[in-house]
Amino acid sequence: MFKGEVRIYGSTYNEAIYASDGTTVIENPTDCEKQAVLDALALIDPDKTAAEGVRLTFVPDTNYDITYQTDADGQPVLDENGLQIIDSEPTPLYTYQGTASAIP
């Protein structure tokens, strides 16, 4: 007999970013909103813009996304098997457990 589990996850948005203030969350931003944030970030620190550019900061969805450990440089931390170390797993909305057996 096989034991199994099905987990169902959900989110209130497809994508979320931080606004240029670094704290306000914009859910499901349009392309215009994304460009406005990039323009605002470029005005905040023009020296950084020339050297490395600016990027949008995406907001992880703790109810849907798995987050992984990273080092100080933002690179993934790997375990002894070369797999990324999970920092946190989302909480499923529903969990179904059951068993199944092959019909002889």
Side-chain angles (χ1 to χ4, degrees):
M1 200 174 297
F2 297 100
K3 294 182 181 180
E5 182 175 273
V6 175
R7 298 177 186 170
I8 301 188
Y9 300 92
S11 179
T12 59
Y13 56 87
N14 291 329
E15 176 182 62
I17 61 171
Y18 286 110
S20 59
D21 64 7
T23 58
T24 304
V25 174
I26 303 171
E27 292 183 359
N28 298 320
T30 64
D31 289 340
C32 291
E33 288 171 317
K34 290 177 184 179
Q35 189 60 53
V37 171
L38 289 169
D39 292 345
L41 290 170
L43 291 173
I44 291 171
D45 192 354
D47 294 332
K48 182 177 181 179
T49 304
E52 51 189 79
V54 294
R55 297 180 190 198
L56 297 173
T57 304
F58 291 94
V59 180
D61 185 348
T62 56
N63 291 319
Y64 192 77
D65 297 323
I66 296 173
T67 55
Y68 297 93
Q69 288 183 9
T70 56
D71 61 17
D73 296 326
Q75 297 300 312
V77 177
L78 306 177
D79 65 13
E80 62 275 356
N81 297 319
L83 302 172
Q84 286 185 290
I85 297 174
I86 295 174
D87 192 32
S88 67
E89 290 190 36
T91 304
L93 294 173
Y94 303 100
T95 302
Y96 298 101
Q97 296 180 347
T99 58
S101 61
I103 299 174

